[in-house]
Amino acid sequence: MILSKAEQMDTVAILEKLVSFDTTSRNANVALVEWIESWLDMHGVSHTRSHGPEDGKWNLHAILGPQERGGLALSGHMDCVPVEGQEWSRNPFTLTEFNGKLYARGAADMKGFVAAMLAAIPSVKAQTLQKPLHLFFTFDEEITCNGARYLIEDVKSRQLMPDMCVIGEPTQLSPVIAHKGRFTIRVDIRGRPAHSSQPALGANALHAMGRAISALADMADEFERKGPYVSGFQPEHTTLQVGLAQGGSILNIVPEQASFEVEWRAVPGENNETIFAGIRHRLAPIDEALRASGAECGLSYSALVDLPPLALDAQSPLVSLLQQITGKNSSGYVSYGTEAGIYQQAGLPTIVCGPGDIAQAHKPDEWIERDQLERCDTMIKRLIRQVCLAS
């Protein structure tokens, strides 16, 4: 059978199509999902959507081979970070190549791996798989990772859990077995307004915020001084920072409201809820002082993101499999987060290994080397041969 032009698309050609969709996390991703579904349908691959509460945002779960639990999962997210405020020298949603580098938003993080997943399908369909190959495509990884939560719950409900999973975040094709978690909260502060000439008649929310931020800076310093420390991470301890803050309305009014957002990235073994409780305890005196000024005053907390850490046993068969296939004898730790911790918590052994360099992610003129994609194609073929073709 002579393949049509569309059926002959390789990884780079598919990547060119994927990056043309602006799937910044604030946007619906349904147009890209429909394009992927058309590719799956063209090759006779079964697939199922799952979604969260927002309209127009979907996950996809495709299965090649036996329609059953077990086998190998390859996973990639479809969303990307914004380009606004960045100085791009080219159209971020048009793939361009220069000196072996492919430039576009999402090229490295992580539509390159998604393209490789899709490009593998024609050759996989030409073989008889003994175990299933699952393909996971998720939404909102860049903001909440909730897409992965909905997807894995859907997979579990249909009793289709794979035996192992490879998430293709950019690691330069080096296996990563551990990463820090990430938890983010917003602290809202309510004071009482007054004319600035009579500040004692009000309760200054910005002053309270300043004291709160100072207390959390001290807490961050304590993580650095006291640990716990986990060798392999850089830095080796949990980190905490305030990254956003706002408040007030005009200078001659005692500000009645302020808010700030905090994130911490915990090493494996640390508990996010315990850290959150520690923050509330640390800020309790500030809250009490405000509440003494009026029942309407005080601090309130909203959890925004809860991304668990990944800690895959170095002796896991999945680790030795990836080391054998990639030719890397070591397995790394990284400080950024992925969906891997969510899958691991759901009982799915997961490792992170994909093309490209995280140093290029989220930057203007993001790029991935063509050679990395070619090596990724080879890695995927070897994974499928080892896991899905072996009897």
Side-chain angles (χ1 to χ4, degrees):
M1 180 178 65
I2 299 176
L3 297 179
S4 69
K5 182 177 180 181
E7 290 173 314
Q8 296 181 56
M9 293 173 71
D10 64 4
T11 297
V12 174
I14 294 175
L15 177 59
E16 181 178 17
K17 189 66 179 179
L18 298 184
V19 300
S20 71
F21 294 91
D22 180 0
T23 52
T24 304
S25 302
R26 63 172 177 262
N27 298 334
N29 71 348
V30 65
L32 176 55
V33 168
E34 289 173 347
W35 188 89
I36 294 175
E37 286 176 328
S38 69
W39 176 262
L40 298 172
D41 291 339
M42 182 189 304
H43 297 288
V45 178
S46 66
H47 53 85
T48 304
R49 288 190 188 188
S50 61
H51 65 91
E54 293 185 67
D55 291 338
K57 288 191 175 183
W58 297 93
N59 298 308
L60 275 178
H61 174 204
I63 307 179
L64 292 85
Q67 304 294 293
E68 60 189 30
R69 69 170 71 228
L72 169 69
L74 303 176
S75 182
H77 64 81
M78 296 177 284
D79 61 317
C80 56
V81 297
V83 299
E84 287 81 8
Q86 296 185 337
E87 295 186 6
W88 283 73
S89 65
R90 60 202 78 217
N91 186 335
F93 300 109
T94 299
L95 192 71
T96 56
E97 183 170 6
F98 182 72
N99 286 344
K101 295 177 181 178
L102 300 158
Y103 294 84
R105 171 55 84 223
D109 185 18
M110 61 175 298
K111 291 179 178 178
F113 186 75
V114 172
M117 291 164 60
L118 294 170
I121 289 174
S123 64
V124 174
K125 288 292 292 184
Q127 305 173 77
T128 301
L129 302 187
Q130 301 300 312
K131 297 179 182 178
L133 172 65
H134 302 258
L135 304 179
F136 294 168
F137 307 90
T138 61
F139 66 85
D140 279 5
E141 189 273 349
E142 295 290 3
I143 50 176
T144 63
C145 287
N146 283 341
R149 291 182 170 90
Y150 292 116
L151 182 143
I152 203 65
E153 286 304 313
D154 177 71
V155 169
K156 288 171 65 178
S157 71
R158 293 184 291 122
Q159 300 184 348
L160 290 171
M161 185 73 84
D163 291 326
M164 62 187 71
C165 179
V166 178
I167 295 182
E169 293 280 4
T171 68
Q172 294 188 307
L173 298 170
S174 295
V176 167
I177 64 171
H179 65 60
K180 294 181 179 181
R182 180 174 184 252
F183 201 103
T184 70
I185 64 171
R186 185 178 67 250
V187 182
D188 291 301
I189 304 171
R190 176 69 87 180
R192 188 174 65 249
H195 194 282
S196 61
S197 64
Q198 296 290 326
L201 299 179
N204 193 310
L206 274 176
H207 287 185
M209 181 171 72
R211 296 185 186 100
I213 291 174
S214 178
L216 295 182
D218 291 341
M219 194 171 180
D221 291 342
E222 289 170 13
F223 283 130
E224 183 173 1
R225 292 196 314 271
K226 299 178 180 179
Y229 304 103
V230 178
S231 180
F233 287 105
Q234 183 58 42
E236 296 182 337
H237 54 82
T238 295
T239 59
L240 181 148
Q241 72 148 4
V242 175
L244 293 171
Q246 59 183 354
S249 58
I250 190 171
L251 188 56
N252 62 0
I253 297 176
V254 173
E256 67 175 317
Q257 63 79 31
S259 66
F260 63 94
E261 293 184 16
V262 188
E263 72 156 23
W264 58 92
R265 295 177 182 263
V267 294
E270 287 272 76
N271 182 279
N272 281 332
E273 287 298 336
T274 300
I275 295 173
F276 194 1
I279 288 174
R280 293 194 295 267
H281 177 75
R282 188 72 64 103
L283 302 186
I286 301 169
D287 179 51
E288 293 168 2
L290 278 174
R291 293 186 186 278
S293 300
E296 76 279 14
C297 302
L299 275 59
S300 60
Y301 301 87
S302 302
L304 304 177
V305 176
D306 181 5
L307 183 62
L310 170 68
L312 181 65
D313 188 337
Q315 304 306 312
S316 166
L318 182 54
V319 178
S320 57
L321 173 65
L322 263 293
Q323 288 175 335
Q324 173 192 346
I325 286 173
T326 62
K328 304 291 178 66
N329 294 324
S330 60
S331 50
Y333 290 29
V334 294
S335 293
Y336 60 83
T338 77
E339 297 160 322
I342 294 171
Y343 293 160
Q344 185 183 54
Q345 279 192 347
L348 176 58
T350 303
I351 198 166
V352 183
C353 186
D357 190 338
I358 195 64
Q360 307 309 323
H362 300 189
K363 292 183 177 181
D365 287 345
E366 177 182 347
W367 54 265
I368 189 170
E369 290 180 317
R370 177 183 282 268
D371 176 68
Q372 281 280 300
L373 293 179
E374 292 171 352
R375 291 171 57 198
C376 181
D377 289 337
T378 299
M379 180 188 78
I380 288 175
K381 290 177 183 177
R382 289 175 177 172
L383 276 169
I384 294 168
R385 183 168 62 245
Q386 292 273 22
V387 178
C388 301
L389 290 175
S391 58

